[in-house]
């Protein structure tokens, strides 16, 4: 036996630490390899060669403290984290495979917290990989794989639980009731069902039942079943099972039993003989529907039996014989996404082919291949597409079947798997020509570059065609001076890489390079018209050009420098009605161009001359406004532009409405001098309208004094008096009422003679406005 003293123990620990540090250093050095970039070798090619993934080009940049793929040059020596990346990626693949296998074997039922932890730890591994922390990624991925293996072991162990029948999966509210109880109790996962037990599902709920012989039943929502018989023959090692569907929908999958095992479905008014491996039954108050998918299913009602072969169906109405056996609709073909699709992002569109005569489609989406952990269970879908949005990172299985007009679902499509993954790696982007700060002497140049396959390229937001190998090119149209462009690569997961470019175009040819602001009024080339006082000359030219103006007669001088966008502005005072200037432009390279311009002062304003005055009142709903505009260039009537003819003539129709209408004519010239004509036209073509007639007493006798009020309205002003006729028995009185403007009511008082008595009635009223519109109202 070897004994260590205090010094020996400390020495031993020191040796161990040195060994660990040395091993860590060696491992860190072994993680990197050094290469020399060859001529024509792109960064994506290097990543594919040494890291087995062209999308890991960003890791090479990170390992070498580079910021862009354009920084890589032939002959440059690069550090490649080949071994670290390989180990981490292999472990990431292993963890994903184990998570998928455990999920397919029911990990979300048997070990939900463990498999959820495996997902979470794998996300940490993904985050470490995205940050280039490969050792941490390897550790997290290994731990995730261990958790997934633990969940898989639990699943395999629980799959062999010995029981007569168990609830092997459930979703929503699933309840059971034994023969001696009147109360329903919740049926948890692995709940044991015995002879005489009932099991039901409520709305938005699904239950799976597994028998000892591995036969499986799937109860859809709002279904009720009775376990009638379960007998196990220990000598022959066989099981006889019988289930009665009382209401709802049931799928039976019987292909996993042993020889001698027997399963039967019993119902009160329909008898079955099951020699099928898979079939569907739907039972409601009106009928029972059968669809068979494998083997044969005999259905008897009354004195008639039909035999359903593979993919055949029949309907049995209550108290009737089975319908003629009919062919089920074919299984739909899944269009997209493809087999084992890996989706980067959180949304996806499912598509499948349209089936003739399909009334609806049954779409099922679940987290497991047995479709026990359901995400979507929609049997009433009429479209052949389904958009999945805001998806968490998970595995999704999906399938579709077509349902015919009789409510019989056809065979289910193939099952496809979708893996929703994180993708935060930006797409590769390299603009090879021109350089981002190039100066060129041509107005059109070719933009050429390269991106990763499948990425989209936009230039200033406009799409550019990308070839199959990821290369792209397009023509750039340049304006004189500096041109700024943004090239963006966008991958399917929404990650983007952008490159900003600033291309300066300086033409070799001599001549005016200034482009004047288009908002300046020019009556002819280089002749500007302004209002009195002065104006600001503005335009665009080449960046950093010096722009100088000199008054030819006044000697006024001013100078400015075009800004980074090529814009310039100069104040130009004008004393005379017309003055000329010389404009001189000097480029940073010393090239000089000159030209003249003149400024003309316009002092007069536009004049609007109408062919006839606008009426104050009219009975027409449309009038013609015509005339001419002198010394003006633009005319609008009530905000609508009006075309000016020769000599400024114009004519336009104006629609009017009852009542007051505002007419506004506005004439402008090129320098924004404005002349206005505003008028109001009243349209009144309708007589006044009676609103209500009030009589103080509806029955009166001799000597009574009656007050009569007639309430009226008109779009203009009503006449002050209105004629009326009053009748009481045989007495008839005609007179006039006077308008009370306070409440727009005509009023008068009438005293009945002594011999008159009876019911008071107003027989007629004549109303008139000030524009002659009148109407007699008779009662």
């Amino acid at each position: 036996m070897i004994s260590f003293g205090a010094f020996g123990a400390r020495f031993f620990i020191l040796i161990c630490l040195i060994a660990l540090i040395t091993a860590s250093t060696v491992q860190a050095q072994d993680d990197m390899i050094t290469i020399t970039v060859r001529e024509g070798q792109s960064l994506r090619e290097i990543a594919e060669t040494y890291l087995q993934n062209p999308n890991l080009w960003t890791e090479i940049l990170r390992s070498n403290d580079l910021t862009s793929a354009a920084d890589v040059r032939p002959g440059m020596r690069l550090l490649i984290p080949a071994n670290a990346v390989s180990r981490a990626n292999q472990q990431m693949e292993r963890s994903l495979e184990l998570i998928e296998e455990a999920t397919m074997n029911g990990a979300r039922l048997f070990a939900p917290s463990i498999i959820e932890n495996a997902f979470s730890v794998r996300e940490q591994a993904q985050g470490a990989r995205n940050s280039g922390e490969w050792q941490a990624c390897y550790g997290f991925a290994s731990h995730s794989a261990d958790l997934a293996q633990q969940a898989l072991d639990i699943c395999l162990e629980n799959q062999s639980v010995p029981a007569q029948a168990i609830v092997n999966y459930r979703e929503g509210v699933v309840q059971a009731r034994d023969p001696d109880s009147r109360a329903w109790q919740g049926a948890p996962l692995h709940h044991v069902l015995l002879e005489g037990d009932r099991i039901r599902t409520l709305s938005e709920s699904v239950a799976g039942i597994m028998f000892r012989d591995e036969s499986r039943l799937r109860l859809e929502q709002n279904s009720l079943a009775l376990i009638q018989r379960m007998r196990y023959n220990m000598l022959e090692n066989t099981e006889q099972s019988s289930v009665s569907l009382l209401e709802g929908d049931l799928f039976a999958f019987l292909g996993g039993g042993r020889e001698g095992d027997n399963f039967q479905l019993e119902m009160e008014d329909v008898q079955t003989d099951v020699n099928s491996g898979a079939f569907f039954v739907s039972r409601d108050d009106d009928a029972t529907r059968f669809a068979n998918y494998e083997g044969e299913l005999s259905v008897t009602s009354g004195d008639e039996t039909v035999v359903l072969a593979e993919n055949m169906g029949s309907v049995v109405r209550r108290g009737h014989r089975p319908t003629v056996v009919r062919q089920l609709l074919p299984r739909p073909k899944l269009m997209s996404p493809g087999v084992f699709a890996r989706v980067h992002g959180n949304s996806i569109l499912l598509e499948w082919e349209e089936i003739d005569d399909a009334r609806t489609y049954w779409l099922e989406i679940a987290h497991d291949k047995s479709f026990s952990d359901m995400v979507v269970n929609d049997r009433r879908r009429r479209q052949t597409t389904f958009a999945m949005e805001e998806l968490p990172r998970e595995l999704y299985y999906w399938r579709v079947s077509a349902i015919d007009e009789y409510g019989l679902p056809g065979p289910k499509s193939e099952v496809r798997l979708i893996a929703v993954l994180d993708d935060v790696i930006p797409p590769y982007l390299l603009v090879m020509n021109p350089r981002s700060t190039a100066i060129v002497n041509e107005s059109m140049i070719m933009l050429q570059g390269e991106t990763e396959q499948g990425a989209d390229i936009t230039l200033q937001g406009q799409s550019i065609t990308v070839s199959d190998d990821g290369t792209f090119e397009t023509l750039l149209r340049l304006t004189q001076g500096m041109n700024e462009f943004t090239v963006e690569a966008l991958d399917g997961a929404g990650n983007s890489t952008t490159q900003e470019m600033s291309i300066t175009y300086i033409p070799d040819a001599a001549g005016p390079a200034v482009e004047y602001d288009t908002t300046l009024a020019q009556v002819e080339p280089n002749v500007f018209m302004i209002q009195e006082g002065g104006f600001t000359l503005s335009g665009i030219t080449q960046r950093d050009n010096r722009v100088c103006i000199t008054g030819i007669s006044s000697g006024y001088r001013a100078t400015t420098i075009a800004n980074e966008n090529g814009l310039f502005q100069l104040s130009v005072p004008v004393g005379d009605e017309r003055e000329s200037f010389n404009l001189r432009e000097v480029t940073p390279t010393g090239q000089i161009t000159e030209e003249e311009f003149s400024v003309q002062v316009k002092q007069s304003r536009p004049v609007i001359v109408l062919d006839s005055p606008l009426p104050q009142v009219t009975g027409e709903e449309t009038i013609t406004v015509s005339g001419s505009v002198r010394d003006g260039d633009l005319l609008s009537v009530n905000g609508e532009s009006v075309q000016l003819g020769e000599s400024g003539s114009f004519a336009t129709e104006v629609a009017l409405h009852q009542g007051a209408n505002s007419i506004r004519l506005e004439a402008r010239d090129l320098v924004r001098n404005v002349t206005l004509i505003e008028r109001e036209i009243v349209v009144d073509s309708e007589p006044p309208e009676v609103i209500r007639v009030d009589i103080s007493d509806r029955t009166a006798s001799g000597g009574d004094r009656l007050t009569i009020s007639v309430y009226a309205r008109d779009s203009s002003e009503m006449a002050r008096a209105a004629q009326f006729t009053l009748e009481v028995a045989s007495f008839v009185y005609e007179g006039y009422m006077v308008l009370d403007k306070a409440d727009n009511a005509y009023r008068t008082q009438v005293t009945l003679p002594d011999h008159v008595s009876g019911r008071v009635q107003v027989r007629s009223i004549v109303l008139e406005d000030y524009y002659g519109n009148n109407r007699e109202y008779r009662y």
Side-chain angles (χ1 to χ4, degrees):
M1 181 175 182
I2 300 177
S3 175
F4 292 96
F7 174 78
R10 288 195 296 270
F11 180 75
F12 178 74
I13 292 172
L14 179 62
I15 294 298
C16 292
L17 289 174
I18 293 173
L20 287 173
I21 294 171
T22 303
S24 176
T25 304
V26 171
Q27 181 177 340
Q29 292 173 347
D30 290 344
D31 284 344
M32 296 287 183
I33 63 173
T34 303
I35 67 150
T36 301
V37 181
R38 301 192 306 273
E39 187 72 36
Q41 190 178 28
S42 72
L43 193 58
R44 281 175 56 81
E45 291 174 353
I46 295 172
E48 185 171 17
T49 300
Y50 295 98
L51 302 181
Q52 289 74 52
N53 187 345
N55 293 327
L56 294 179
W57 56 275
T58 54
E59 297 307 321
I60 300 177
L61 292 181
R62 184 184 289 116
S63 299
N64 292 272
D65 294 329
L66 300 175
T67 58
S68 169
D71 296 335
V72 178
R73 300 283 187 274
M76 179 183 292
R77 293 175 64 82
L78 296 177
L79 292 175
I80 312 295
N83 296 331
V85 171
S86 176
R87 283 198 307 272
N89 285 336
Q90 288 175 3
Q91 204 64 11
M92 288 289 285
E93 288 295 325
R94 176 173 172 265
S95 70
L96 180 60
E97 290 172 359
L98 285 170
I99 288 174
E100 292 173 357
E101 185 178 359
T103 302
M104 285 189 292
N105 281 276
R108 293 196 168 277
L109 297 176
F110 297 117
S113 60
I114 298 177
I115 198 65
E116 185 64 32
N117 198 12
F119 267 110
S120 176
V121 174
R122 193 176 189 282
E123 288 180 0
Q124 292 179 275
Q126 181 69 49
R129 180 163 70 176
N130 295 339
S131 302
E133 300 171 4
W134 296 103
Q135 290 297 328
C137 173
Y138 176 83
F140 285 130
S142 299
H143 185 38
S144 174
D146 293 341
L147 290 170
Q149 182 65 59
Q150 182 182 349
L152 176 60
D153 293 341
I154 293 173
C155 293
L156 296 177
E157 179 182 348
N158 277 274
Q159 285 176 354
S160 61
V161 171
Q164 296 293 327
I166 65 168
V167 177
N168 69 324
Y169 65 84
R170 62 189 304 280
E171 191 78 24
V173 180
V174 179
Q175 297 175 331
R177 192 181 81 188
D178 62 52
D180 299 326
S181 174
R182 294 185 178 181
W184 290 94
Q185 302 292 332
L189 194 64
H190 306 142
H191 178 78
V192 176
L193 297 170
L194 304 175
E195 283 186 351
D197 285 356
R198 294 172 182 252
I199 181 169
R200 72 178 182 182
T201 58
L202 301 189
S203 179
E204 305 295 330
S205 303
V206 179
I209 304 172
M210 178 177 286
F211 293 86
R212 188 183 183 92
D213 63 353
E214 297 183 6
S215 294
R216 291 177 292 117
L217 302 182
R218 176 189 176 94
L219 285 179
E220 299 296 329
Q221 64 176 345
N222 298 319
S223 298
L224 172 62
L226 168 64
I227 309 297
Q228 287 193 325
R229 185 176 65 256
M230 284 187 296
R231 290 289 184 267
Y232 175 59
N233 189 318
M234 298 182 63
L235 182 62
E236 297 178 0
N237 193 28
T238 59
E239 181 161 342
Q240 307 295 317
S241 303
S242 174
V243 172
S244 176
L245 178 64
L246 303 178
E247 63 180 40
D249 300 339
L250 177 147
F251 275 99
F253 305 96
L254 312 177
R258 302 173 297 273
E259 183 178 357
D261 288 343
N262 180 265
F263 176 88
Q264 289 300 320
L265 179 69
E266 298 183 7
M267 284 167 284
E268 179 182 359
D269 54 347
V270 182
Q271 294 76 48
T272 62
D273 185 11
V274 179
N275 292 293
S276 169
F279 61 88
F280 167 80
V281 183
S282 178
R283 186 171 174 83
D284 55 33
D285 293 338
D286 297 327
T288 305
R289 297 167 178 82
F290 296 89
N292 184 47
Y293 308 112
E294 180 182 330
E296 289 186 350
L297 178 66
S298 296
V299 178
T300 301
S301 179
D303 58 355
E304 185 168 336
T305 299
V306 295
V307 178
L308 306 183
E310 183 175 329
N311 293 333
M312 305 297 286
S314 180
V315 178
V316 181
R317 304 284 177 190
R318 288 295 176 95
H320 292 75
R321 298 175 179 178
T323 62
V324 175
V325 175
R326 63 187 71 257
Q327 182 75 39
L328 300 178
L329 295 178
R331 68 180 71 240
K333 179 182 179 183
L334 304 186
M335 308 297 290
S336 68
V339 178
F340 192 61
R342 298 197 175 198
V343 179
H344 300 287
N346 62 351
S347 64
I348 191 170
L349 180 66
L350 306 181
E351 297 181 89
W352 58 91
E353 70 171 352
E354 183 176 356
I355 300 296
D356 294 338
D357 301 325
R359 174 162 293 183
T360 60
Y361 298 93
W362 194 336
L363 171 64
E364 296 173 280
I365 306 173
H367 287 303
D368 62 318
K369 196 171 184 179
S370 62
F371 288 84
S372 57
D373 189 3
M374 299 292 291
V375 178
V376 173
N377 188 14
D378 182 3
R379 62 188 298 177
R380 294 181 176 85
R381 187 150 199 86
R382 297 186 179 275
Q383 299 85 7
T384 58
T385 60
F386 181 75
M388 300 176 67
E389 304 288 348
E390 303 298 328
L391 295 175
R393 294 179 294 277
E394 281 277 12
L395 297 177
Y396 298 90
Y397 294 85
W398 69 291
R399 64 188 179 191
V400 180
S401 59
I403 301 178
D404 64 17
E405 59 181 321
Y406 302 100
L408 298 175
K412 299 182 185 297
S413 68
E414 65 172 316
V415 176
R416 285 193 179 175
L417 172 63
I418 304 169
V420 178
L421 307 173
D422 263 348
D423 179 7
V424 296
I425 300 177
Y428 179 77
L429 175 63
L430 176 63
V431 177
M432 297 175 286
N433 183 66
R435 290 290 179 186
S436 60
T437 56
I439 299 177
V440 299
N441 58 4
E442 297 178 349
S443 62
M444 295 185 66
I445 60 173
M446 185 67 72
L447 172 74
Q448 296 173 312
E450 178 184 354
T451 187
E452 64 185 49
Q453 294 180 354
D456 295 324
I457 295 293
T458 58
L459 174 67
Q460 299 298 90
Q462 299 297 315
S463 180
I464 297 176
T465 301
V466 181
S467 62
D468 293 339
D469 61 358
T471 60
F472 59 89
E473 64 179 23
T474 188
L475 281 174
L476 287 180
R477 298 179 181 273
L478 307 176
T479 59
Q480 185 173 334
M482 185 179 67
N483 300 260
E484 293 186 343
F485 300 97
T486 300
V487 182
E488 181 178 19
L490 185 69
D491 64 18
N495 303 305
S496 67
T497 301
T498 59
Q499 184 165 338
E500 305 291 338
M501 306 184 67
S502 176
I503 313 299
T504 303
Y505 166 45
I506 303 177
D508 290 337
V514 171
E515 293 182 11
Y516 296 112
D517 191 339
T518 56
T519 62
L520 299 175
Q522 294 190 57
V523 294
E524 55 185 272
N526 287 19
V527 178
F528 301 98
M529 181 174 288
I530 65 169
Q531 294 179 342
E532 292 184 86
F535 86 118
T536 299
L537 179 70
S538 60
I540 187 169
T541 183
Q542 189 176 297
R543 174 181 179 175
D544 296 332
N545 276 9
R546 182 182 293 107
V547 181
C548 310
I549 61 169
T550 303
I552 294 177
S553 59
S554 65
Y556 174 81
R557 297 174 62 87
T559 302
T560 189
I561 303 294
N563 68 13
E564 60 182 8
N565 296 316
L567 298 174
F568 70 90
Q569 288 184 334
L570 284 167
S571 295
V572 182
V574 180
D576 301 329
E577 290 187 2
R578 184 181 180 111
E579 188 167 347
S580 297
F581 296 86
N582 176 268
L583 184 145
R584 188 181 195 195
E585 184 180 18
V586 183
T587 68
T589 59
Q591 183 180 1
I592 299 175
T593 58
E594 292 185 288
E595 65 181 39
E596 286 190 12
F597 69 91
S598 59
V599 182
Q600 181 176 321
V601 178
K602 185 177 185 300
Q603 298 177 338
S604 61
R605 294 180 177 273
V607 177
I608 303 174
V609 180
L610 297 177
D611 290 339
S612 59
L614 298 176
Q616 292 183 346
V617 180
T618 180
E620 303 295 326
E621 294 185 350
T622 303
I623 63 168
T624 299
V625 180
S626 63
S628 61
V629 176
R630 301 172 187 169
D631 231 7
D633 302 280
L634 301 171
L635 174 68
S636 65
V637 177
N638 287 349
E640 297 290 334
S641 179
V642 176
Q643 182 71 35
L644 296 178
E646 295 183 3
S647 302
S649 63
F650 68 89
T652 185
E653 297 289 327
V654 178
L656 305 175
H657 57 80
Q658 287 290 323
N661 297 263
S662 295
I663 305 295
R664 176 187 174 95
L665 286 77
E666 181 178 308
R668 291 177 177 268
D669 59 20
L670 291 177
V671 295
R672 299 182 179 85
N673 290 316
V674 178
T675 297
L676 295 176
I677 293 180
E678 294 183 299
R679 298 287 187 271
E680 185 175 278
I681 300 175
V682 176
V683 177
D684 189 355
S685 59
E686 299 291 335
E689 177 187 359
V690 173
I691 300 175
R692 176 172 96 247
V693 177
D694 289 346
I695 303 174
S696 59
D697 292 307
R698 291 291 179 178
T699 303
S701 56
D704 288 347
R705 189 175 183 83
L706 303 176
T707 299
I708 302 169
S709 301
V710 176
Y711 294 87
R713 63 186 172 197
D714 190 71
S715 59
S716 59
E717 188 172 358
M718 294 184 292
R720 295 191 59 190
Q723 185 179 0
F724 76 100
T725 301
L726 182 72
E727 182 178 284
V728 182
S730 61
F731 174 74
V732 177
Y733 178 82
E734 293 184 353
Y736 288 88
M737 294 181 286
V738 178
L739 177 65
D740 184 351
K741 292 185 177 181
D743 56 356
N744 283 333
Y746 288 93
R747 290 189 175 87
T748 190
Q749 291 183 331
V750 177
T751 302
L752 296 181
D754 293 340
H755 65 280
V756 174
S757 64
R759 182 173 176 78
V760 181
Q761 298 184 61
V762 174
R763 288 302 185 187
S764 68
I765 304 168
V766 179
L767 298 183
E768 184 176 6
D769 62 22
Y770 272 102
Y771 302 112
N773 302 304
N774 63 76
R775 179 180 173 182
E776 181 180 7
Y777 294 89
R778 302 187 67 84
Y779 302 96

